[in-house]
């Protein structure tokens, strides 16, 4: 099981520690470093900055939002950064949800998310293959565009720039069972939002027929500390925000996932409190047991025991949101 460093989103501004953490992760032999985007900083620019200050570590978007760019624009980002980094890019993509897609990007959330995702990946694959001008008779991403307001002058094109790697890895963030099953079919890897090594049966049906080399790369908070309860507070804050606020009361993919993992009553309570504006109570309602299952927090010996459980399952890459170099070093030592 390889280790990766997940830097997550920026907050009010760039985190001054991110570059140092990325360079330390490379020195320790971590396989990859990942950046994120929501409705603030983008994923590709910080990754390019990190690429310029490192030489070996893989560079992952975890995740780039599909609604933010057309698939051809995403393919251009990918082939450009892959060239500049010497072939280190891992293209992680996600559909996001209606609240962000319609509220921030001003686009309709697709009525058929699976079809929209499949088309998006197909366009990227064709751009990177550069075998012929790209023509896709898609419902959501047709090329050329032939809608009622088209000029009729569009013509199929292929990229001027020759991609460095036509088979650049594409990974998808997916939560629903059908979405995960499609990810196994069309992508090179899967980026789970929550993964519990104690509940792998939740995903078993969707993960049948895994191809050799397919990446399963969940993110997990890691922190070496004496006080487990205190170390879990950032995990609970994240869960409270995602489950309570990243979606509508009637359509929240994160809450649905927590429910499928055996915490349905708790998930609905978190939603209820968060949407009432009672955010601190919502965070407090996150069960310690759930937060602990999906993270690696506590003294070194405790983390070693938990890490052994993660290594038993199908996870190929464990992407750690680790706040300090000491935690990165301890995890590297324990994973040898």
């Amino acid at each position: 099981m390889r280790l990766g460093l997940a830097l997550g989103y920026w907050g009010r501004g760039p985190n001054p520690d991110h570059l140092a953490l990325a360079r330390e992760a490379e020195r320790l032999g971590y396989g990859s470093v990942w950046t994120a985007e929501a409705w603030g900083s983008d994923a590709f620019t910080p990754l390019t900055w990190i690429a310029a200050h490192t030489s070996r570590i893989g560079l992952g978007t975890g995740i780039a939002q599909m609604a933010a760019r057309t698939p051809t624009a995403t393919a251009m980002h990918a082939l450009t950064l892959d060239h500049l980094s010497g072939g280190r890019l891992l293209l992680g993509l996600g559909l996001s949800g209606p609240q962000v897609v319609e509220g921030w990007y001003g686009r309709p959330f697709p009525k058929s998310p699976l079809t929209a995702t499949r088309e998006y990946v197909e366009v990227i694959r064709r751009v990177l293959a550069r075998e012929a001008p790209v023509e896709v008779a898609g419902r959501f991403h047709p090329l050329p565009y032939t809608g009622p307001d088209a000029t009729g002058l569009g013509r199929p094109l292929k990229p001027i720039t020759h991609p460095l790697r036509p088979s650049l890895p594409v990974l998808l963030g997916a939560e629903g069972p059908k979405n995960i099953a499609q990810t196994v079919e069309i992508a090179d890897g899967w980026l789970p939002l929550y993964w519990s090594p104690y509940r792998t049966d939740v995903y078993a049906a969707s993960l049948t027929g895994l191809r050799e080399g397919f990446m399963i790369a969940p993110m997990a908070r890691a922190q070496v500390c004496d006080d487990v309860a205190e170390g879990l507070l950032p995990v609970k804050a994240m869960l409270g925000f995602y489950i309570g606020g990243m979606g509508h009361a009637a359509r929240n993919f994160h809450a649905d996932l927590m429910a499928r993992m055996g915490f349905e009553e708790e998930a609905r309570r978190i939603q209820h409190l968060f949407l009432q504006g009672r955010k601190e109570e919502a965070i407090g309602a996150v069960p310690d047991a759930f937060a602990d299952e999906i993270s690696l927090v506590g003294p070194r010996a405790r983390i070693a025991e938990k890490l052994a459980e993660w290594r038993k399952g199908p996870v190929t890459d464990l992407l750690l949101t680790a706040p300090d170099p000491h935690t990165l070093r301890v995890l590297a030592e324990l994973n040898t």
Side-chain angles (χ1 to χ4, degrees):
M1 185 177 70
R2 296 177 293 262
L3 297 181
L5 171 64
L7 295 174
Y9 312 108
W10 286 4
R12 291 171 179 251
N15 188 317
D17 299 326
H18 277 183
L19 181 57
L21 285 173
R23 297 180 72 174
E24 178 67 3
E26 180 175 71
R27 189 189 70 80
L28 292 168
Y30 278 58
S32 55
V33 57
W34 300 73
T35 56
E37 65 184 14
W39 50 92
S41 62
D42 76 285
F44 288 99
T45 309
L47 208 58
T48 305
W49 182 252
I50 292 168
H53 291 83
T54 56
S55 59
R56 301 181 309 278
I57 196 166
L59 306 161
T61 55
I63 57 174
Q65 296 186 325
M66 296 183 204
R69 307 164 189 88
T70 65
T72 46
T74 296
M76 290 166 62
H77 275 294
L79 72 85
T80 302
L81 182 48
D82 202 47
H83 266 292
L84 292 175
S85 65
R88 291 191 277 153
L89 185 67
L90 299 158
L91 181 59
L93 302 170
L95 197 59
S96 194
Q99 192 177 39
V100 174
V101 173
E102 297 183 0
W104 181 246
Y105 295 114
R107 300 167 60 95
F109 188 78
K111 289 183 170 58
S112 300
L114 292 177
T115 302
T117 299
R118 180 181 286 271
E119 289 181 11
Y120 201 100
V121 172
E122 180 183 357
V123 171
I124 289 174
R125 298 280 200 203
R126 292 197 188 190
V127 171
L128 294 176
R130 203 180 178 275
E131 294 173 347
V134 181
E135 290 187 82
V136 176
R139 174 181 172 186
F140 297 98
H141 304 290
L143 285 174
Y145 177 70
T146 57
D149 55 345
T151 63
L153 301 177
R155 62 187 181 93
L157 300 169
K158 64 180 179 180
I160 298 169
T161 305
H162 291 234
L164 180 64
R165 291 184 298 162
S167 57
L168 185 154
V170 176
L171 298 89
L172 295 175
E175 295 180 54
K178 291 182 180 179
N179 202 350
I180 297 169
Q182 177 174 271
T183 296
V184 172
E185 177 189 351
I186 69 173
D188 302 298
W190 172 42
L191 296 164
L193 181 61
Y194 313 135
W195 179 276
S196 169
Y198 311 98
R199 300 174 190 267
T200 56
D201 57 304
V202 172
Y203 302 112
S206 300
L207 293 177
T208 56
L210 289 178
R211 302 183 307 281
E212 184 177 354
F214 186 86
M215 294 175 64
I216 297 179
M219 296 185 187
R221 171 79 175 188
Q223 185 174 2
V224 178
C225 59
D226 294 328
D227 190 330
V228 174
E230 183 177 348
L232 289 176
L233 287 177
V235 185
K236 296 179 68 170
M238 176 273 293
L239 289 169
F241 177 66
Y242 269 74
I243 293 161
M246 289 283 277
H248 189 269
R251 195 170 190 184
N252 184 313
F253 304 133
H254 314 306
D256 293 344
L257 173 57
M258 183 178 175
R260 287 195 300 275
M261 294 179 74
F263 296 88
E264 182 170 8
E265 183 178 341
E266 294 88 341
R268 303 311 170 200
R269 174 164 172 73
I270 294 165
Q271 269 192 296
H272 175 73
L273 291 170
F274 198 96
L275 294 174
Q276 283 192 331
R278 298 156 65 183
K279 297 181 180 180
E280 292 301 320
E281 290 181 66
I283 292 170
V286 174
D288 285 356
F290 182 59
D292 193 32
E293 282 188 23
I294 66 171
S295 59
L296 291 150
V297 170
R300 180 188 176 109
R302 185 176 193 271
I303 289 178
E305 292 177 5
K306 289 173 65 66
L307 187 63
E309 296 299 318
W310 284 80
R311 295 175 68 171
K312 289 178 182 178
V315 172
T316 62
D317 296 76
L318 178 55
L319 313 183
L320 303 172
T321 58
D324 59 85
H326 176 63
T327 294
L328 289 179
R329 287 192 291 271
V330 170
L331 267 294
E333 292 166 3
L334 294 176
N335 196 51
T336 55

